[in-house]
C-alpha cells in the first residue's frame, strides 16, 4: 500500500495520517520501505485500516491517492497466522447468493463524509472458471450503489469512502475460490482537481 | 497509468511531463479521466512512453511515482488492432531460453541517468502452470542487474530508469502463455526522501 498526497507537505500529511492506523496495529504486521507499506492481517481489519488512513489523509484537503495491491492465497507465500482463519465456508455459496450478500454489506456501511473515486481490478488465478467469478463480481459492483462505470481492465467506483472500501472489501473476500489465489489492484482518490 | 508528483505544483509537473508522450501518440490510443490514463498499444511503445513520461516528471526533482496496471490477453476485452500482431512465436521457446533473452535485452538498454526504485507483481491467469512462469520470471529478475530484493507478493528493483522499464517490459512480454491473460501491477519511484 502506498499513499500519495500531491502536496509539498506530503511527508507531514503522511505522518499525520498514519496515526489512523494505531487502533489496528495489534492485529496487523506492518513493514514500510521507500516504495510501500506491507500490511498483513485479516481482510476486515486491513480494509478498515486502509479506509481510515485514506480518510485521514484526504481530510487535509489536498489531492490524495491510495494505491494498493491486495493478495490472498498466494501459493508461493502462505498467508500468515495473523490473517486468522481462512475465509468461511459461506464462500462456497452459489455465486448469486454471494452477490446479494455483498450488496447488503455495502448498503449497511457507515458513512465517513469523504467523497471518493476509485478504480480496481480483480485477478482470480489458477482456475479455469476465473472469468465466471469476475463476471459475478461485476454484477455485484453494478448493483453496489458505488458503481461509476466499466473501464478497460478495471471498474470505476464513486461514493463515500466508507462505501467505496466496503465495496472493494466485498469484491476481495466473496469472489474467487475461498482457498484460491486472488489479488486486487486498487486506486482510491480524493480532492482531484480534474473533472470526473 | 497514473503519475503522482508529491508537490504543490503537481498539475504543472504532469502537464510538462506528458509532452514526453508526443513522439508516441500516433501509435497509442490515450484516454484520461480523474483517476488514470488509459494507453493502448504495442508493448514496446507502451513501455518506452511510460519510461519517458516518468523520467520527465522525475527531472523536476520532486518525489514522483508512476503507478500502472498493464494487461494483455484479457478474455473479456480483446486487445485492439493498434496493439499490433500478437506476441511472436518465439514466446513458445523453453523458459530457460526466454530468461537468457530477457537478461540480454535489459543489459543492452540505453541509460537515462535517472536513479529509480520500483516494485511490481506479475499475474498469469487461467492456466494451471502459472507458478512455473512466475518462478521463471523471478529467475530472470534476480539476474537482471536491477534486482533489489523479493518482497511479499512482489519484486523490488533498483537502477537506472531505462533498465528498470526494460526489466518490467521483459517480464511482461516474455513470460506467461503468448495468448494468455497476463497482467502487471507496477510502482516506479524517484526522489523519495525515505531511506531505501
Amino acid at each position: 500500500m502506498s499513499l500519495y498526497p500531491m502536496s509539498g507537505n506530503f511527508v507531514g500529511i503522511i505522518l499525520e495520517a498514519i496515526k489512523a492506523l494505531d487502533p489496528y496495529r495489534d492485529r496487523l504486521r506492518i513493514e514500510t520501505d521507500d516504495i510501500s507499506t506491507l500490511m498483513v492481517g485479516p481482510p476486515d481489519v486491513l480494509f478498515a485500516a486502509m479506509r481510515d488512513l485514506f480518510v485521514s489523509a484526504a481530510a487535509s484537503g489536498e489531492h490524495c491517492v491510495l494505491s494498493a495491491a491486495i493478495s490472498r492465497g498466494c501459493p508461493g507465500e502462505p498467508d500468515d497466522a495473523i490473517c486468522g482463519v481462512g475465509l468461511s465456508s459461506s464462500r462456497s455459496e452459489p455465486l448469486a447468493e454471494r452477490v446479494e450478500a455483498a450488496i447488503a454489506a455495502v448498503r449497511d456501511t457507515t458513512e465517513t463524509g469523504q467523497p471518493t473515486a476509485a478504480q480496481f481490478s480483480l485477478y482470480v488465478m489458477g482456475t479455469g472458471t476465473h472469468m465466471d467469478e469476475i463476471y459475478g463480481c461485476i454484477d455485484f459492483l453494478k448493483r453496489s450503489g458505488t458503481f461509476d462505470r466499466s473501464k478497460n481492465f478495471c471498474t470505476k467506483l464513486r461514493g463515500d469512502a466508507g462505501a467505496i472500501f466496503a465495496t472493494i472489501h466485498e469484491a476481495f473476500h466473496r469472489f474467487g475460490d475461498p482457498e484460491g489465489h486472488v489479488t486486487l489492484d486498487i486506486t482510491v482518490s480524493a480532492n482531484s482537481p480534474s473533472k470526473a
Side-chain angles (χ1 to χ4, degrees), chain A:
Chain A
M1 176 195 72
S2 302
L3 181 63
Y4 306 119
M6 259 56 74
S7 161
N9 183 34
F10 70 96
V11 173
I13 293 169
I14 291 172
L15 292 178
E16 179 65 28
I18 59 176
K19 294 177 187 170
L21 298 181
D22 287 347
Y24 304 103
R25 285 187 183 275
D26 60 335
R27 285 164 291 167
L28 294 172
R29 180 160 68 86
I30 301 181
E31 297 169 15
T32 297
D33 69 15
D34 59 318
I35 295 192
S36 65
T37 292
L38 171 72
M39 300 204 305
V40 182
D44 56 336
V45 178
L46 264 183
F47 282 92
M50 287 195 291
R51 176 199 61 212
D52 290 357
L53 176 75
F54 176 77
V55 169
S56 175
S60 67
E62 302 285 358
H63 177 27
C64 290
V65 171
L66 183 147
S67 174
I70 305 165
S71 175
R72 65 173 167 87
C74 182
E77 299 178 75
D79 294 339
D80 283 25
I82 197 175
C83 296
V85 297
L87 298 176
S88 87
S89 57
S90 68
R91 294 306 165 278
S92 54
E93 287 168 358
L95 195 48
E97 291 180 25
R98 286 182 278 140
V99 168
E100 296 303 325
I103 292 169
V106 173
R107 191 184 51 224
D108 296 342
T109 302
T110 305
E111 289 215 357
T112 66
Q114 176 60 56
T116 299
Q119 69 187 28
F120 75 101
S121 303
L122 172 71
Y123 304 123
V124 180
M125 276 159 289
T127 160
T129 62
H130 77 290
M131 292 307 291
D132 293 341
E133 290 289 323
I134 289 174
Y135 291 134
C137 184
I138 291 172
D139 178 34
F140 151 58
L141 294 171
K142 288 188 173 171
R143 298 163 56 205
S144 65
T146 59
F147 183 77
D148 184 83
R149 66 188 178 92
S150 295
K151 292 177 61 172
N152 291 59
F153 317 120
C154 64
T155 298
K156 188 167 178 184
L157 309 177
R158 187 172 301 280
D160 183 83
I164 294 288
F165 279 93
T167 301
I168 299 171
H169 179 199
E170 293 300 313
F172 180 68
H173 85 127
R174 233 181 266 271
F175 300 91
D177 184 330
E179 307 300 321
H181 187 192
V182 174
T183 70
L184 285 181
D185 171 25
I186 76 169
T187 305
V188 187
S189 172
N191 308 323
S192 169
S194 298
K195 283 177 193 161

